[in-house]
């Protein structure tokens, strides 16, 4: 192979190599938590776990409004809102939140213990029919 052919081969390799798609970077927890919607979801989940229901409701509503990327995350936010609504006797809102959870993620389902809860279990069962 002469020098001219080697140069063309090197140039073709460089050009074609530049067109290659770099491997996707893994997404880590720090990357996700920097997103406003996901950060609000985490805040809402923590507030719910700490029985700070008004704060949880605000944060979960913010998370949904900010556009959670994952269907499962959207369903989880709606589920916790449903629990809050049912616990405060806002049955229509509770039912709507369960329906929204299923719309966000068609595989959404409560665990057996969650579905048996006296406050929201009956409302949840009505939404599964």
């Amino acid at each position: 192979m002469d020098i001219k052919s080697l140069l063309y081969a090197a140039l073709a390799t460089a050009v074609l190599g530049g067109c290659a798609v770099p491997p996707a970077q893994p997404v880590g927890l720090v990357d996700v938590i920097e997103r406003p919607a996901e950060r609000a979801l985490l805040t809402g989940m923590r507030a719910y776990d700490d029985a700070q229901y008004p704060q949880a409701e605000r944060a979960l509503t913010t998370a949904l409004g900010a556009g959670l990327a994952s269907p499962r995350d959207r369903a989880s936010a709606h589920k916790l809102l449903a629990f809050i609504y049912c616990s405060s006797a806002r049955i229509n809102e509770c039912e709507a939140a369960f329906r929204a959870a299923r719309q966000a993620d068609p595989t959404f389902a409560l665990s057996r213990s969650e579905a048996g809860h006296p406050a929201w279990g009956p409302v949840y069962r009505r939404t599964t029919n």
Side-chain angles (χ1 to χ4, degrees):
M1 202 183 242
D2 65 348
I3 191 78
K4 191 174 183 182
S5 296
L6 285 173
L7 287 174
Y8 282 129
L11 180 61
T13 301
V15 169
L16 292 175
C19 294
V21 177
Q25 293 293 322
V27 177
L29 180 60
V30 173
D31 300 318
V32 172
I33 204 64
E34 287 180 358
R35 299 177 191 161
E38 284 74 10
R39 187 174 40 247
L41 175 61
L42 181 59
T43 298
M45 292 169 74
R46 284 180 179 161
Y48 183 87
D49 287 344
D50 291 339
Q52 302 295 316
Y53 302 121
Q55 295 88 335
E57 184 177 346
R58 281 192 300 277
L60 295 166
T61 301
T62 297
L64 289 165
L68 290 165
S70 163
R72 235 177 123 193
D73 286 348
R74 289 192 303 274
S76 292
H78 286 297
K79 175 183 90 168
L80 292 178
L81 284 170
F83 291 174
I84 292 167
Y85 297 148
C86 278
S87 296
S88 58
R90 295 184 280 171
I91 304 306
N92 290 339
E93 291 172 275
C94 177
E95 188 172 324
F98 279 132
R99 291 187 193 286
R102 191 163 294 104
Q103 184 176 15
D105 179 4
T107 65
F108 168 76
L110 294 183
S111 69
R112 184 181 304 252
S113 63
E114 290 171 334
H117 192 278
W120 53 74
V123 178
Y124 170 73
R125 284 188 292 280
R126 278 199 309 268
T127 67
T128 59
N129 297 332

